[in-house]
Amino acid sequence: MPRPSAPETPIKRYRRVVREVLEARGRFCECCGTPARHVHHIIPCSITGMASELVFDPANMMVICNDCHMLMHPLIRRPSWTKAAKGRGIGLNR
């Protein structure tokens, strides 16, 4: 007899949705076209709250590179602006 599976936790659900978004859209930044591994929320979690369904909605996510992600969160991520700007310029010229 198969064991019933445990309900999916919010963090497992989030990780699954992120994997699905990256696989469906490709692993290239939707801002500059360089290789990417991050997903950015268009409507920020700080506004919706972590319990909101928008946190898990692929339509509220965009694939984004580290440099562009730093530009989206300038006060949180403390980027190297020179590196981020250079990376974006290279991506835009490809």
Side-chain angles (χ1 to χ4, degrees):
M1 178 185 304
R3 248 171 67 177
S5 60
E8 190 175 41
T9 64
I11 191 69
K12 285 184 179 180
R13 179 181 176 199
Y14 178 74
R15 288 178 179 158
R16 177 182 52 78
V17 172
V18 167
R19 275 193 314 272
E20 290 170 357
V21 167
L22 289 170
E23 289 170 9
R25 297 187 197 165
R27 293 181 181 263
F28 292 94
C29 182
E30 293 181 75
C31 291
C32 71
T34 61
R37 60 184 180 96
H38 297 276
V39 172
H40 175 73
H41 287 91
I42 298 164
I43 300 172
C45 298
S46 60
I47 292 174
T48 65
M50 291 304 290
S52 170
E53 280 300 308
L54 277 175
V55 171
F56 306 103
D57 185 354
N60 188 39
M61 298 177 184
M62 60 188 295
V63 177
I64 195 165
C65 70
N66 191 50
D67 291 339
C68 289
H69 206 186
M70 285 191 288
L71 292 171
M72 297 285 186
H73 299 285
L75 300 177
I76 297 170
R77 298 177 68 93
R78 300 187 194 280
S80 162
W81 291 104
T82 305
K83 181 181 176 198
K86 182 179 177 187
R88 280 187 63 127
I90 291 169
L92 292 171
N93 292 327
R94 287 187 183 170

